[in-house]
Structures are given as structure tokens and as C-alpha cells.
Amino acid sequence: MILLQKRIIVATLEVDATLNIKSSTTYGGIQQDRYHDLINSLSKDKLKEVLHEDLDFATYDIRSFDYKEKKSQEPEIEETLDIMVSNYATITGKRLFILPNIMTRHHRKLSADSARKYDIDLSFEYKDVDTVEINIPLGYNAESMPQDVSFSNKFGKYQSSVRLSGSKLVYTRSMEHFAGRYPAADYADLVKFYEVVYKADRSKV
């Protein structure tokens, strides 16, 4: 069963670069198993500690969080977060540099290995779908926007785009990661897939 994650974020960027985030994430398939175990075995304080380990921000405060379970033949868990992140954007003179991918950045990078001998065994597949809206301070115009990215090979599919509409940045991202056993000769393609995703996930406005 595919590990499915759907995330919707509505955020507001203040003039001092503070980002106020309201995030709603639905975990389905096997992916919800981890959260089912956490919310049914940990106290609220311990659960907050796990959240702090998961979130990739330098300085932030979790103002509130909640989990709701949908118990059915295809169980889901919905996570809602209210987070304040200090210094999210970089301010340089009259410019703001903003990373539109707030919470779903891929971290895996692989080194090239032309002498690889063993097959590649990827044991799980997943799909992440993100929609992010960032309200930016009035008076800013786009000087540089990341190009749309659309890439696919035998290991997965990736698409991302960002648009500025008035004072609202709208970012969308979809990533599918396939499972399977692949010959060692395909390793360079896996390196390329992760490289494309890693770079696109960190493109700034």
C-alpha cells in the first residue's frame, strides 16, 4: 500500500521575517501507522518533543497541535499545527528571500558510484502532495521566481511550481517515490532523481 501524505499550509510572513504557519496534513496508508502508535502511546508533552525532532526549523514555537484518527478500512490521521517560525525569510536590503517549500523538503542525497555491483532494493513507495499559500508583506514584487520543475524516471515522479498572485505566493509540489528492485547499472538514475528533488525543494523566491 502506498504511503500517502497530503499537506495544506496557509502561512503569513511578517515584515520582521517571522512566519506564522497553519498546517493541515492527512496521513494515509501505512504512513499513518507511525502516528497511530505515537498518539496512542505518548503523553501530550512527549508527543510535542517528537514534533520538535521532526520539524526542520532553526527557531520556532509550536503554539498548538492536534491529531484526529479516522478509523476505517483505510485509516487516516489528520494533523493540525499552528507554528511560529522566527527569521524564516532572509532580509537583504530591500529584498526578501523566501523558501516556498515550508515543511516537505527531501533530505536524501547520494554520491555517484560508477563501480556499484549490487542491485538497488527500494522497499517502500510513497506519494506526497503539498499546497502552500504564503501571504507576504505588502509592497513586494517578484524579482526572481523558481522555474517549474517536472521530472520523472523509473524511480519516481516530481513536479513543483510557484506563482505570485498579488501578495500571495502559491506553491504546489507532488512527489512519487517508487518501490522495486533495480539493477546496479541504474544507480546513476537514482542519484539524478534525488539530486533534482533536493535542489528543487530548496529553490527560493
Side-chain angles (χ1 to χ4, degrees):
M1 183 180 292
I2 193 167
L3 311 179
L4 181 62
Q5 173 184 298
K6 293 182 180 179
R7 174 170 285 147
I8 297 173
I9 292 176
V10 177
T12 300
L13 184 66
E14 307 294 348
V15 292
D16 65 353
T18 297
L19 189 69
N20 296 298
I21 302 168
K22 292 189 182 298
S23 169
S24 176
T25 307
T26 301
Y27 301 100
I30 302 172
Q31 186 153 318
Q32 61 84 40
D33 286 353
R34 175 182 182 243
Y35 291 91
H36 169 82
D37 292 341
L38 289 174
I39 64 180
N40 285 286
S41 62
L42 299 181
S43 67
K44 191 102 174 175
D45 288 340
K46 288 293 185 182
L47 193 54
K48 191 172 183 178
E49 289 179 14
V50 173
L51 264 177
H52 271 288
E53 293 172 1
D54 287 348
L55 293 170
D56 186 19
F57 302 118
T59 306
Y60 64 98
D61 179 46
I62 301 173
R63 291 188 285 213
S64 67
F65 64 96
D66 188 45
Y67 291 91
K68 292 181 180 177
E69 283 194 87
K70 174 188 172 185
K71 297 181 179 180
S72 65
Q73 195 168 7
E74 296 183 359
E76 293 180 343
I77 289 179
E78 183 175 326
E79 171 194 78
T80 55
L81 304 175
D82 185 347
I83 308 169
M84 185 275 292
V85 182
S86 300
N87 301 311
Y88 182 79
T90 302
I91 302 174
T92 305
K94 295 181 179 180
R95 290 182 174 88
L96 277 175
F97 293 87
I98 304 167
L99 183 60
N101 185 341
I102 297 175
M103 288 178 60
T104 319
R105 294 188 290 278
H106 192 70
H107 293 279
R108 177 169 290 181
K109 291 181 74 176
L110 299 175
S111 300
D113 182 5
S114 58
R116 184 181 177 92
K117 298 178 181 179
Y118 301 104
D119 287 351
I120 304 160
D121 190 8
L122 303 176
S123 59
F124 64 94
E125 62 181 2
Y126 61 87
K127 182 176 182 180
D128 294 342
V129 180
D130 289 71
T131 302
V132 178
E133 293 183 0
I134 304 175
N135 297 294
I136 63 175
L138 295 175
Y140 283 94
N141 297 309
E143 183 180 66
S144 175
M145 299 280 283
Q147 292 185 342
D148 292 355
V149 177
S150 180
F151 182 84
S152 65
N153 64 17
K154 63 186 66 181
F155 293 104
K157 298 178 181 179
Y158 178 90
Q159 289 183 313
S160 65
S161 69
V162 60
R163 299 285 183 270
L164 179 63
S165 177
S167 60
K168 181 182 293 184
L169 279 175
V170 179
Y171 171 78
T172 58
R173 177 190 187 272
S174 175
M175 177 181 173
E176 289 186 70
H177 186 284
F178 302 146
R181 192 174 185 89
Y182 305 88
D186 290 343
Y187 182 75
D189 291 332
L190 182 62
V191 172
K192 178 64 175 177
F193 179 69
Y194 288 152
E195 182 182 273
V196 169
V197 174
Y198 188 94
K199 182 178 179 181
D201 278 354
R202 287 158 180 78
S203 295
K204 292 184 178 182
V205 176

